[in-house]
Amino acid sequence: MCGREVSPLQKWMEVVKLFTGKECSKDAKTVAIWEACESALTTGERKQALAEYQTKLAKDLRNKERQGRQRTKEAFLKLLTDVVNAEMVSRGSENRGVESLRYQDVERLLQKDERYHAVESDEMRELLFAEFAEEYRKREERRKQNEFRDAQDSFVAFLKELAEKTILNCTVPDSWNAFVASLRSSSGGGDNDRSLVSNDSRFTTLSSSVLKTEEKDFLFKNFVDGLIRSE
């Protein structure tokens, strides 16, 4: 049936004509196959075999179509990633998030690529853009959360190191900014440890990290309180 290009929707008599019609009379192989089927199988059995073949064929075709749509979708989303990232950089809006862009802002750029035209309709393209924008927002949110946790961990690890060097103890000022000021005021004096800390690249990074001042103060106070409790 594969060789005769039987479709999932063809009726029994239409399939019979594919094997017994005039165009098949010169095809000895097709005639021999049909005659063998007639001698080995009843009409009911042949109809059942056709039904099973068409069911499997329909399923295979649906899978191929679904896979094709998925490949088209993935290609278009990759195109969106490239175009949107470039557009946001050119606008200097990479830190404002993709929500600052509309589909109409990038459509002209998308139209230059064959992956744009592979998508079946404008409605589908806009739906994919909305899906892309939502996933982009979630990804950025996760990245910022991870960055925030990493910054917290680095901050606390740095405080522990200062405590181990006895630069940070129970008698320090009660806020991070006050402690920073005390380190900087001693950087030109004789306290070599404090001078090294204030010039440490990590110190500079932590001072200007993603952590807000109040967040640093909260972590700093909790850490110092822990030192006091352990006395």
Side-chain angles (χ1 to χ4, degrees):
M1 284 185 277
C2 292
R4 303 309 298 171
E5 296 184 352
V6 174
S7 79
L9 300 178
Q10 281 180 302
K11 304 297 183 183
W12 166 250
M13 288 309 300
E14 293 173 335
V15 174
V16 170
K17 287 180 181 179
L18 290 176
F19 288 90
T20 62
K22 290 182 180 180
E23 67 276 11
C24 299
S25 60
K26 296 180 182 179
D27 188 342
K29 182 178 179 181
T30 298
V31 173
I33 291 173
W34 183 256
E35 289 177 349
C37 288
E38 281 188 313
S39 62
L41 302 170
T42 65
T43 299
E45 289 171 332
R46 280 178 281 153
K47 285 184 177 181
Q48 177 64 29
L50 172 65
E52 291 174 359
Y53 172 80
Q54 288 178 312
T55 298
K56 182 179 184 304
L57 179 60
K59 182 179 178 181
D60 290 344
L61 290 174
R62 285 195 299 272
N63 286 338
K64 286 181 181 178
E65 289 174 2
R66 183 166 55 250
Q67 290 167 3
R69 288 194 299 270
Q70 183 62 27
R71 285 193 295 270
T72 298
K73 174 183 175 180
E74 290 172 356
F76 185 71
L77 291 176
K78 176 63 170 62
L79 172 62
L80 276 174
T81 300
D82 296 340
V83 169
V84 166
N85 285 343
E87 181 68 7
M88 290 175 69
V89 169
S90 69
R91 290 179 173 213
S93 57
E94 60 268 27
N95 294 322
R96 299 212 313 264
V98 73
E99 60 270 15
S100 64
L101 287 179
R102 301 170 304 159
Y103 174 69
Q104 291 74 15
D105 295 329
V106 296
E107 185 177 17
R108 177 181 55 81
L109 298 172
L110 295 171
Q111 289 173 342
K112 299 176 181 179
D113 195 289
E114 63 181 14
R115 289 170 289 180
Y116 169 90
H117 300 285
V119 179
E120 60 192 34
S121 66
D122 286 334
E123 182 182 13
M124 179 56 66
R125 294 184 193 102
E126 292 199 45
L127 285 172
L128 289 175
F129 178 82
E131 179 182 323
F132 166 83
E134 177 63 14
E135 181 55 34
Y136 191 103
R137 183 191 63 77
K138 290 179 179 178
R139 190 166 59 248
E140 280 298 292
E141 206 170 81
R142 290 192 294 269
R143 182 188 65 78
K144 289 178 181 178
Q145 289 172 348
N146 290 336
E147 190 177 63
F148 180 74
R149 283 194 294 268
D150 290 344
Q152 285 183 315
D153 292 343
S154 295
F155 187 77
V156 172
F158 190 60
L159 295 180
K160 288 179 179 178
E161 187 175 323
L162 296 181
E164 289 170 359
K165 293 180 178 179
T166 68
I167 297 171
L168 178 59
N169 53 49
C170 303
T171 63
V172 297
D174 59 1
S175 74
W176 170 249
N177 278 346
F179 177 66
V180 169
S182 72
L183 285 179
R184 285 175 174 160
S185 65
S186 64
S187 63
D191 193 331
N192 190 51
D193 281 342
R194 284 176 174 258
S195 179
L196 288 174
V197 169
S198 63
N199 292 318
D200 191 315
S201 61
R202 292 173 303 163
F203 177 78
T204 304
T205 301
L206 288 168
S207 295
S208 59
S209 72
V210 296
L211 296 176
K212 296 178 181 178
T213 299
E214 57 268 28
E215 291 161 347
K216 294 174 190 172
D217 281 343
F218 178 79
L219 292 171
F220 182 80
K221 187 175 186 309
N222 276 355
F223 186 83
V224 173
D225 286 346
L227 291 178
I228 294 173
R229 286 194 298 271
S230 64
E231 283 289 301

